[in-house]
Structure formats: C-alpha cells, structure tokens
Amino acid sequence: MDTNSSQHIDPTPAVKSSFSWHRMLEIANFYRPSCQLQLLIYLGISLLLGVLIFLPAGGSVQTALFTLCWAIIPYMVYFGPCMLTRYGDARIVERMMPVKASERYVFFLLYFLIAVPLAAFLIPELCIWIYSKMPEVITEEMRMLSDMHLHQPLMLRMINILGCMATILTCLYTVQYARHNRLIKSIAATFGTQIGLGILGAFYGLAEVFKAGYKDGMEGKPACLDGDQIVSNLMQDLFNGSPFGYTVVSILLIFTAVMLYLNYRVIARRNL
C-alpha cells in the first residue's frame, strides 16, 4: 500500500512559527493601493478642515466651524476599517497568503490605530496649536475653544482615546466577522458603540445633577440646577479624578481589551 497517498497536501506554503515582520509587510503590500488612497483622502480632508479652523470668522460662525471639524474627524477614524469592505472576493486571496494570524493582526492594529488617526488628527491639531500662538489674529471665541481643546484634563483625554480605540476595534471586528452587508453592519456597529459611550456620558451628567441637588437639599436650600455650574463641576471632577471618571475609564479599558481579543480570535479563525 502506498503510504504517500494518505498524506495531507497543504495548498499553502508552510509558515514558520515565529513572528516575521517581512511577512507582515506582504500583507501591507497587498492592501497598499487602498491604504494609500485612504490616507491621501484623509490627509486632504484634514488639511481642508485645518484651513477652516484658521478662517478669521468671528462669533458663532467660528464656533460652528470648529464644532463641525471635530464632529467629522473622529468619524473618519472610526470608519477607517470600512476600507476592508472594498475587497469583496479578494478576501479569499488575502486569507490564503502564507502569513500568521498574529502578523495580520499587528498590521491591522498599526494601520487602523496609529496610521489612520495620525492622518486624520495631526494637521487639525497642529493648526489649533499654531493658531493659539498667534495672539494678533486669534479671536476670543477661538481662544476659548483652543484652550479647552489643548488643555483637556488627563482623565478626559484617556476617556477620549479609549473611546476612540473601542469604536475602531468594534468596526474592525464587525468588518471581519460579517459575511454579508459588511459595510452596513460595520457602520451600524460604530454608531451603536458611540451611542453606548453617549449613555455613559449621560449617566455622568445625571450623577453630577443628583450630587448638586443632594448637596443643596442637605444644606436646606432649594435645588439650583444651573447649567453652567454643572458643566463647571463636571470639568472640575475630571481634573480632580472623580470616582465616576475612573469607573468610565475602567469600563472602556475592559471593553477595549475584549475587542482586542475578539479581533485576534476572528483573524485566527479565518486564517487559512
């Protein structure tokens, strides 16, 4: 009996067990056309938004432009993994490449968590910093907005960064896990994550309102729920490191860790 006939023939070349940066670059080269196009588009949009920030429009116009910029830029980053939906049937070719799941995973993390955010955020951030150093042209509205943006409390920055990572990873996981309607499902998952983060923020605000009303009640005064005072108290809590803020950071850390694991697992399962 010919024993060779019972041997399994692997259609793909053998992959060494150790991590290889060279093989990871093969994945990067496979996605290079789409990555280059996405980064160029993002750099162009961020440059346009940076110019809008520089416009010397006063009053509500500049506030509206600033708000518009920082409403668009984060969603550019959140939807970054949607780039993978362009490949369609090429997913089979990509899965058959002789690379390890860990190499594919590291490439996705480096690209979607570092390269894409840099392309989207770097130019507007530089524009705000430069504008804040030009007292002869900066308007009072822009001075206030730039100070709030550039001098955020550490806890608020941590919440923003972890929230951004969690949303990107959720979108990336949905793109890889879904078999059909990947673009629609990933967009829905992204908005769902943002809604969840918004609910956390709403609980934070409600906690502050309750605390203010409870304090007035204990002092025998009628509750004075002044909006500006509540916002000021929220910011003060973030500067001082409030327990609720630590709770939000802990929830985001756990959620981000879970999504990191789920992304690796789905890559490992679908890697041929």
Side-chain angles (χ1 to χ4, degrees):
M1 179 178 178
D2 186 6
T3 57
N4 291 332
S5 61
S6 61
Q7 292 180 351
H8 172 70
I9 300 176
D10 190 349
T12 58
V15 180
K16 294 181 180 179
S17 58
S18 60
F19 183 92
S20 170
W21 290 99
H22 177 74
R23 288 196 301 267
M24 193 200 75
L25 291 177
E26 291 181 2
I27 287 289
N29 189 57
F30 177 80
Y31 284 112
R32 182 170 53 84
S34 291
C35 290
Q36 287 180 339
L37 179 61
Q38 184 179 42
L39 292 178
L40 285 174
I41 291 174
Y42 277 27
L43 286 170
I45 294 175
S46 63
L47 179 60
L48 175 61
L49 295 177
V51 171
L52 289 178
I53 292 173
F54 269 114
L55 290 179
S60 59
V61 175
Q62 194 159 40
T63 303
L65 290 174
F66 186 91
T67 305
L68 176 65
C69 290
W70 293 105
I72 294 174
I73 294 172
Y75 277 93
M76 291 167 51
V77 177
Y78 301 156
F79 292 136
C82 292
M83 176 269 291
L84 300 175
T85 63
R86 297 182 63 241
Y87 280 79
D89 294 338
R91 294 178 74 189
I92 300 175
V93 177
E94 184 258 346
R95 288 171 59 193
M96 293 181 65
M97 295 180 66
V99 296
K100 291 173 61 65
S102 58
E103 294 154 359
R104 201 185 311 271
Y105 179 67
V106 169
F107 166 71
F108 284 157
L109 294 187
L110 290 176
Y111 180 72
F112 292 117
L113 294 182
I114 297 179
V116 171
L118 281 176
F121 282 109
L122 184 60
I123 295 177
E125 291 282 359
L126 283 175
C127 288
I128 293 175
W129 182 80
I130 293 171
Y131 202 6
S132 68
K133 302 299 181 181
M134 302 168 63
E136 59 278 354
V137 298
I138 191 171
T139 63
E140 188 60 33
E141 290 81 5
M142 192 60 191
R143 187 191 310 277
M144 180 186 67
L145 292 171
S146 61
D147 285 345
M148 290 176 58
H149 183 80
L150 295 174
H151 302 98
Q152 295 179 24
L154 177 61
M155 182 169 290
L156 183 58
R157 287 192 181 275
M158 290 176 62
I159 291 173
N160 288 336
I161 292 172
L162 288 172
C164 183
M165 290 179 60
T167 308
I168 294 169
L169 291 170
T170 301
C171 183
L172 177 60
Y173 174 75
T174 308
V175 167
Q176 296 180 98
Y177 182 81
R179 294 181 180 273
H180 307 288
N181 300 319
R182 294 195 298 157
L183 179 60
I184 296 174
K185 290 178 180 178
S186 59
I187 291 174
T190 300
F191 280 120
T193 306
Q194 284 297 296
I195 291 171
L197 295 176
I199 292 173
L200 278 178
F203 278 123
Y204 197 177
L206 288 172
E208 185 59 42
V209 171
F210 177 80
K211 186 171 70 174
Y214 180 79
K215 181 181 178 182
D216 289 339
M218 291 297 293
E219 294 175 354
K221 299 185 297 184
C224 181
L225 303 179
D226 180 68
D228 293 338
Q229 184 61 43
I230 289 174
V231 172
S232 176
N233 292 342
L234 284 171
M235 295 303 296
Q236 193 63 38
D237 283 348
L238 288 172
F239 274 109
N240 296 333
S242 68
F244 192 86
Y246 284 118
T247 302
V248 173
V249 170
S250 300
I251 292 172
L252 288 174
L253 277 172
I254 294 171
F255 183 75
T256 302
V258 170
M259 293 312 302
L260 284 169
Y261 167 72
L262 290 177
N263 270 281
Y264 179 78
R265 190 176 71 169
V266 74
I267 291 174
R269 284 184 175 182
R270 300 181 71 85
N271 205 53
L272 297 180

